[in-house]
Amino acid sequence: MLCRVPVFRQRPRGGFTLVELLVVIAIIGILIALLLPAVQAAREAARRSQCSNNLKQLALAVHNYHEVFGSFPPPGFHNRDGEGASSSSTSWGPSWLVLILPFVEQKPLYDRYDFRLSRSRDGVNAEVVRTEIATYRCPSDQLRQPLWNNSNVLFARGNYGANGGAGNIFSRSNFDDRSNERGPFHLGRHYGASIAAILDGTSNTIMIGEILAGDRTGDVRGAWAYPSGAYFTGSSPHYSNPRYQLRPNGIALDDNQADRPAFCSAANDDRQLRCFAGGSRAVQTARSRHPGGVQVALCDGSVRFVRDTIELNSWLLLLSMADGQPTADF
């Protein structure tokens, strides 16, 4: 007798209903919304870490320069040394970031720079100054800024500036008459301090800090090879009325906290980059894209994070190297 094998027929499976599909999409959306800030925070932490590492390398390079020459590099040179030079001159020579190229593994680039030429935009120097250098860029400033245009010579951008003190980095009278505001670098005197001159102590004085690169061809900020693009300072000259004193990441929509760079070009609604023409005694502060503050390298080579809520007086004390006052915690 033949046995009949029962045949089991699969019941047709139904698909997702529209409601179920919408619920799944909503759950995925909620998960993405929860995870996205964490992912962004992790990415920013990585960028900030790289930025900190760059600062450490630059601080070490400045110390190596000091080991060879007996002082920090001048923040820049100008051929009008005897008469002084305005910040808005287009004839500045090399910046401190050019001078330390051999100490950041850029000796071949340094060797191409012709120091016999008085201007950084002359001759073969034009090719050097347009070179992008990763160590000079903070990855948190992700916007791809156009190169700065100086008389049709293009300058690449960077994100690190030399500390010009609590006073003004271009004002010679600030340097001569207000030694308590003096910083480790001064453009008006082509001055780089020796470690012995840092009377407040190397762990209480800022050497290098972050700056934001300008986002237009007419804005000099961040031009690493140009002295008036690679510094920050605490104030306009002491004889200015009013005297502008800037905190790190000062809200640029406030006229008193906006940068006044040598060459200014920015959107009027930009909270960080809005600026005014600085004239012959430009002033610009330390700025970054990091939430809550800026990173700085102290003169002892350590890297610290300075919150943008720091009291103005405490910030100015960190910028000056011989004020004789105790530095508050930061």
Side-chain angles (χ1 to χ4, degrees), residues 75 95-97 160-162 211 220 222-232 284:
S95 73
W96 65 280
L97 285 161
Y160 305 104
I211 58 175
V220 70
W224 65 261
Y226 208 72
S228 59
Y231 77 93
F232 61 96
Q284 56 202 43

Side-chain angles (χ1 to χ4, degrees), residues 87-92 148-150 157 217-221 226 228 260-265 275-279 282 284:
S87 62
S88 55
S89 169
T90 59
S91 300
W92 282 93
W148 176 57
N149 189 326
N150 177 6
R157 306 277 187 179
T217 59
D219 195 318
V220 70
R221 286 174 290 182
Y226 208 72
S228 59
R260 286 163 168 76
F263 299 96
C264 169
S265 181
C275 56
F276 297 94
Q284 56 202 43

Side-chain angles (χ1 to χ4, degrees), residues 63 67 71 92 141 169 185 198 210 222 243 268 302 313 320:
H63 274 276
E67 191 73 19
S71 69
W92 282 93
D141 194 10
I169 196 172
F185 302 92
I198 304 172
E210 294 180 275
R243 190 182 194 194
N268 284 330
S302 63
N313 187 60
S320 57

Side-chain angles (χ1 to χ4, degrees), residues 165-182:
N168 184 268
I169 196 172
F170 292 99
S171 171
R172 292 189 172 201
S173 64
N174 253 127
F175 185 88
D176 296 337
D177 303 333
R178 298 217 169 190
S179 58
N180 64 309
E181 295 186 349
R182 198 177 291 171

